[in-house]
Amino acid sequence: LLRDLSRRPVSVRFAPFSFQPGTVQLFRASARYEGSSPTAGKQSYTFNLTVAPKPPPVAALAGPEVTSEACTFVLDTAPTVDTSLAPGETPDFAFQWFCRALTSEATDG
């Protein structure tokens, strides 16, 4: 349910994240003289609002840059953020992990 946050009768204002990403909203405003018939002399204007698609998350990974072969370590994706979420919303991330060995020549230059 949309709620107009504006206190002015000549404008409309909605809270952030009121519309789903990737949608198009149609607004129609009409004006007539106060006291006149609702159908007499009414002018209207239509406005289309395109809400951008949801951007991809900003992936981030925290962990050690160097470790020994006998050492356990942790890689943490907690710094990953979803900039399209409203404050307090929880992201629904799905992570895919990939690991491959690099030769010493590949890391030297």
Side-chain angles (χ1 to χ4, degrees):
L1 180 64
L2 288 176
R3 192 172 133 225
D4 182 4
L5 302 176
S6 177
R7 293 187 176 143
R8 300 175 54 214
V10 296
S11 67
V12 64
R13 187 174 133 225
F14 299 109
F17 306 101
S18 293
F19 303 106
Q20 292 296 320
T23 61
V24 176
Q25 308 297 320
L26 178 110
F27 294 89
R28 180 172 291 131
S30 59
R32 64 178 173 86
Y33 291 109
E34 195 170 328
S36 67
S37 166
T39 58
K42 182 168 60 171
Q43 293 289 319
S44 66
Y45 182 79
T46 302
F47 178 80
N48 291 320
L49 172 71
T50 301
V51 183
K54 187 175 183 176
V58 178
L61 183 64
E65 291 185 26
V66 177
T67 186
S68 74
E69 61 189 36
C71 181
T72 60
F73 62 93
V74 174
L75 298 176
D76 186 7
T77 59
T80 300
V81 294
D82 184 346
T83 58
S84 69
L85 291 180
E89 283 190 74
T90 304
D92 58 348
F93 296 136
F95 293 98
Q96 182 177 13
W97 294 88
F98 175 78
C99 179
R100 71 177 176 155
L102 296 177
T103 63
S104 61
E105 296 88 36
T107 58
D108 289 340

